[in-house]
Amino acid sequence: MVYSYAFRRHLYGSQAPPWAIRHHVLIDLSCLAIVVAVLFFSPAAFANQPVSHLQLMDYHGALPPTGDNALESVSATPLPDQQNINLGINIEPVWLQFKVEAGDPPIVQLNNPLIHQIALHRYLPETSTFSAPIQRVAFTPLLGDELGRWRPVFELTEPGTYWLKLSSPQALRFQLSQTTLPQVNSDWRGFLLGQGLYLGMLLGLLVYNGVLLRFLKNSNYFWYLGFVGSSAVYFFLQKGLMFELVPAFPKLVNEALLFTALSIGIISALSFCRTFLMLPEQDRLMDRLFMVFIVFGLVCLVGTWWLPGHVSVKMFSVLGLGTMTLFCLASWRALQRRFRPARWLLMGWSALIVGCLVFILSIYGVLPHNLVTYYGFQFGSALESLLLSVALADRINLLRRERETLVKEKLRFATMSVTDGLTGLYNRRYLNRHLDESVQQARLQHQPLSLVMLDIDHFKVFNDRWGHLLGDKALQHFADILVEAVCEEDAVCRFGGEEFTIVLRHQPVQQALDVAERIRTMLRTTPLMTDANQAIPLTCTIGVVQYQVPESAKAFIARADSALYQGKEGGRDRVMSDLMTHQGST
C-alpha cells in the first residue's frame, strides 16, 4: 500500500512565474553589459584639450573688475593645466582666467549643466575693460526645432585673455576644455547614448521587477521600484538631461527636484533593506536606527525646497554616508544570522558606497575631478541596482524552498489527521466529512451515490491462528486490492477493525455491485503471501446500497452495514444489496 494515497489535495502559495526565476541571471547579465556600454560611450568628452594658462582669481564680484589696473590689482593662483577642475562648494562667485592663443581650437565648453550662473567675458586691453557676456552656441533641443543656448559652450573667434564667472550652491566640479564644434556634437551624441543606455537599463529593471511585484504582492519589490525609479530621475536631472528637453527649465527647480528624487531614493532604499532583512522581527536595534534615518530623510525631503543649496548638499552628504554605513552594518549582521541573500545586499551596498564616497570626496576637493569620480556614483548605482535585483531573486528562491517545505509539512499533517496509520487509506474522520459532502451533493445535483461496506471474513479467527502481525499485513493486503479495484476519485476508507467502506459518487447501485464483485473476486484469487512464501486465502463479505433522499449520512451507513450483516448471515464471501445478491463460490 502506498502511503501517499490520501494526498489528494495540494496547498499552493503565491509564487513568482517560473520564467521570472529561470531567466533572472540572464536579464542581470544583459543589464551589466549595458553598464559596460555606458562606460564605453561616456568618457569621450574627457579626451579634449584643456584651456591654457588657467588661473583662479582672488575676486568675487558679480561683474568683472573695472579700472585701468583691473587685471594687475587682482591676485591669481595658477591651476594645473588639466581640463578636470574641482573647486568645491563656494557661496560667492568664482572667477577663472585663461588665455586663448592663435590657432587654438575655437570652442570652449564646460560640462556641468547644474552650475547656476556661467558668464564668459573677453578682456579688452585697448580700453582696460571687459566685453559683455559672450553668447553661447545655439543647439537644437531633443524636442522641437527651435534653437536654444542652454549648454555652456562658447565659440571664441579672437585670441586673448578671458574671464569665466561661476556661481552655484552646488560643488563647482566641471571639465573646461577647448575643442571643435564637430567634436562637441560627437561628445554629446556619445554622452546622450551612454545616458540613454543607463536609463534604459533602469527602465528594464523597473518593468521586470514591476511584473514580479504584480505576481508576488511583496513590499520588497515596491521599495525596490521606488529606489530604482528615484535613481533614474536623479541621474536624469543630475546630468542635465532635463535641459535637453526643456532648455528654459529653471535650474533652482531642477536642483530641488534632484534632491527630492535623492531623498525618495534613500527612503525607499532604507525601507527596502529594513523589510528585506526583516529587521523589525530579527534586529530591533538596527530597525530603530533605520527608522531614525528614514525620519532624517523626510526632513531632508522637506528642507530641500527652502534651504540654501549648499546646506542641502551637506545634509544629503551626511544622510548618504550614514545610510551607506547602516546598509553594510545591517547586511553584515544579517549574514551573522545566516541569512544568505544578505551577501548580495552587502555587495550591492558596497558598490554604491564606493561610488558615493568617491563622488562626495570629489565634491569637497579631496579627490580630483575625472572620469571615475564624475561617473562613480552612477556606476555604483547601476551595479547596486543589479545586485539588489539578484538579492531579490535569491530571496524568492529561499522563500520558495521554505514555502515548499511548509506545504509538504502541512500536507503531511493534514493527511495524518485523515489517514489510517496502518493501511494508508482515509480514516473514519475523513469518511464522516466526505460522506456528508457527498450526500449534500447528491441531493442538490440529483446524482446517484452508492456506498460499499466490506468486511474480511473470519478475521478474528485469522488473528488467533496467525497472529496480529500477520493480521496487520492482511489488512494492508486488502487495502491494496481496494485501491487497485476503484477509480482514483473514489474514496476508500477504513471504517474500523477489519471493516472498510468505499464512497462511489455518480454511480448507481448496479455499477457499485460490479465494483464490489470485482473486489470480492480479486481478494479470493489473490491470497496473502507470508514471509515463508505460504499462501493464505482470504475472502470478504460486501454490502452495497444506493442513497435514497432524504435519508441522512448516518442512516445511509446504517443501511450499508445492514446489507453487510445480511451477507454474513447468508454465508459470507458474497455481495449483498437492497436489490439483489451476488454470491460467489465458497
Side-chain angles (χ1 to χ4, degrees):
M1 177 64 208
V2 180
Y3 177 77
S4 61
Y5 167 76
F7 281 71
R8 292 178 178 269
R9 297 184 180 182
H10 302 277
L11 304 176
Y12 291 103
S14 79
Q15 55 184 356
W19 57 265
I21 306 302
R22 188 164 49 247
H23 300 302
H24 205 293
V25 175
L26 180 61
I27 291 174
D28 286 334
L29 288 176
S30 302
C31 292
L32 184 60
I34 294 177
V35 175
V36 174
V38 172
L39 179 62
F40 176 79
F41 284 113
S42 295
F46 285 82
N48 295 318
Q49 171 185 328
V51 297
S52 59
H53 305 288
L54 183 64
Q55 293 180 311
L56 175 63
M57 310 307 293
D58 188 15
Y59 178 76
H60 304 288
L63 297 174
T66 58
D68 294 338
N69 298 317
L71 291 184
E72 291 77 5
S73 63
V74 179
S75 61
T77 302
L79 296 177
D81 285 337
Q82 58 184 26
Q83 53 184 322
N84 303 314
I85 301 169
N86 188 350
L87 302 178
I89 298 176
N90 295 268
I91 300 176
E92 297 179 313
V94 172
W95 289 85
L96 298 176
Q97 176 184 285
F98 62 90
K99 293 183 179 181
V100 174
E101 308 289 348
D104 284 349
I107 299 295
V108 170
Q109 68 171 346
L110 187 148
N111 75 336
N112 188 342
L114 300 183
I115 298 177
H116 287 201
Q117 297 181 26
I118 301 175
L120 183 63
H121 302 264
R122 178 174 175 268
Y123 180 67
L124 306 175
E126 60 274 10
T127 60
S128 298
T129 59
F130 286 87
S131 69
I134 297 174
Q135 197 173 43
R136 302 183 185 190
V137 176
F139 293 95
T140 304
L142 295 178
L143 298 178
D145 299 326
E146 184 177 353
L147 295 178
R149 303 180 186 274
W150 70 95
R151 296 180 192 166
V153 177
F154 305 89
E155 185 174 9
L156 308 183
T157 58
E158 299 181 31
T161 301
Y162 289 84
W163 276 42
L164 178 66
K165 174 192 173 184
L166 305 171
S167 179
S168 179
Q170 298 286 330
L172 296 178
R173 301 185 318 127
F174 55 91
Q175 181 187 82
L176 185 62
S177 59
Q178 290 180 271
T179 184
T180 62
L181 193 58
Q183 185 62 46
V184 169
N185 292 326
S186 175
D187 291 347
W188 273 98
R189 283 194 298 270
F191 172 78
L192 292 177
L193 179 57
Q195 294 303 312
L197 289 173
Y198 171 79
L199 294 174
M201 179 204 73
L202 294 188
L203 179 61
L205 289 175
L206 283 171
V207 172
Y208 171 67
N209 288 280
V211 172
L212 293 182
L213 175 63
R214 168 69 177 82
F215 277 97
L216 298 174
K217 305 291 191 299
N218 189 306
S219 62
N220 286 299
Y221 283 93
F222 175 79
W223 295 119
Y224 177 80
L225 293 177
F227 171 74
V228 174
S230 299
S231 298
V233 173
Y234 172 82
F235 285 110
F236 180 84
L237 298 169
Q238 195 259 347
K239 299 304 179 185
L241 296 177
M242 177 61 77
F243 305 121
E244 295 296 313
L245 296 176
V246 186
F249 194 77
K251 289 191 175 182
L252 283 175
V253 177
N254 185 86
E255 180 181 289
L257 290 175
L258 182 147
F259 282 122
T260 298
L262 182 59
S263 58
I264 293 175
I266 291 176
I267 293 171
S268 297
L270 286 166
S271 301
F272 169 84
C273 190
R274 181 171 174 264
T275 56
F276 184 89
L277 298 177
M278 298 177 288
L279 296 184
E281 300 84 13
Q282 302 292 334
D283 196 336
R284 298 297 299 275
L285 173 62
M286 293 305 301
D287 183 57
R288 285 192 288 269
L289 291 175
F290 268 69
M291 290 304 300
V292 169
F293 271 81
I294 288 175
V295 173
F296 184 34
L298 292 172
V299 172
C300 293
L301 173 62
V302 175
T304 191
W305 288 92
W306 60 274
L307 289 175
H310 66 279
V311 176
S312 295
V313 170
K314 293 177 180 178
M315 288 179 61
F316 277 96
S317 297
V318 174
L319 176 63
L321 290 176
T323 299
M324 296 300 105
T325 304
L326 273 184
F327 287 155
C328 286
L329 182 59
S331 300
W332 179 80
R333 288 167 67 97
L335 285 175
Q336 298 299 109
R337 301 196 306 268
R338 300 184 182 278
F339 184 63
R340 192 188 68 178
R343 72 185 190 277
W344 296 108
L345 210 62
L346 185 60
M347 292 169 59
W349 297 130
S350 298
L352 186 60
I353 284 175
V354 172
C356 183
L357 187 62
V358 166
F359 180 75
I360 291 177
L361 291 179
S362 66
I363 286 178
Y364 291 98
V366 178
L367 294 178
H369 175 64
N370 52 38
L371 172 67
V372 175
T373 58
Y374 185 69
Y375 290 105
F377 190 20
Q378 194 168 11
F379 291 154
S381 170
L383 291 176
E384 191 261 356
S385 297
L386 293 177
L387 290 171
L388 287 192
S389 185
V390 174
L392 281 172
D394 194 22
R395 191 169 187 268
I396 290 173
N397 284 325
L398 179 62
L399 292 176
R400 183 165 53 88
R401 287 192 293 269
E402 291 177 351
R403 183 182 293 113
E404 289 173 353
T405 301
L406 179 61
V407 165
K408 290 178 182 178
E409 287 299 307
K410 290 173 70 175
L411 281 173
R412 186 170 69 88
F413 286 117
T415 303
M416 287 175 60
S417 68
V418 296
T419 304
D420 175 60
L422 176 64
T423 63
L425 301 177
Y426 288 120
N427 59 18
R428 177 72 174 271
R429 176 185 300 170
Y430 179 85
L431 172 66
N432 294 336
R433 185 179 69 195
H434 181 73
L435 191 60
D436 285 338
E437 295 173 355
S438 300
V439 166
Q440 187 68 16
Q441 184 185 64
R443 288 176 180 173
L444 295 176
Q445 299 180 0
H446 305 290
Q447 293 288 338
L449 173 67
S450 295
L451 182 64
V452 179
M453 183 79 74
L454 311 97
D455 184 90
I456 299 177
D457 293 335
H458 305 294
F459 189 69
K460 185 178 183 305
V461 176
F462 182 96
N463 275 335
D464 292 340
R465 178 179 179 184
W466 298 99
H468 289 281
L469 291 180
L470 198 57
D472 291 343
K473 191 173 181 181
L475 293 174
Q476 294 170 341
H477 175 68
F478 187 39
D480 288 340
I481 290 177
L482 295 180
V483 173
E484 183 180 351
V486 301
C487 299
E488 185 177 352
E489 61 270 16
D490 299 330
V492 183
C493 310
R494 185 181 179 189
F495 191 74
E498 70 273 18
E499 288 189 88
F500 298 80
T501 60
I502 304 175
V503 181
L504 301 174
R505 289 183 174 181
H506 310 298
Q507 296 188 43
V509 68
Q510 291 81 5
Q511 295 181 17
L513 287 169
D514 292 338
V515 171
E517 182 60 31
R518 182 164 63 248
I519 292 171
R520 191 192 68 81
T521 303
M522 289 176 63
L523 180 63
R524 193 170 190 3
T525 57
T526 310
L528 173 67
M529 303 301 297
T530 66
D531 293 337
N533 205 27
Q534 180 180 357
I536 303 175
L538 295 172
T539 60
C540 66
T541 303
I542 306 174
V544 180
V545 293
Q546 181 173 331
Y547 176 72
Q548 298 175 359
V549 179
E551 68 180 339
S552 64
K554 183 180 293 187
F556 192 22
I557 292 177
R559 204 152 49 83
D561 191 55
S562 176
L564 174 63
Y565 180 77
Q566 292 177 25
K568 289 182 178 182
E569 289 292 316
R572 292 185 170 82
D573 190 21
R574 65 191 61 218
V575 177
M576 289 290 295
S577 74
D578 298 70
L579 304 178
M580 57 197 310
T581 301
H582 288 226
Q583 182 176 352
S585 41
T586 60

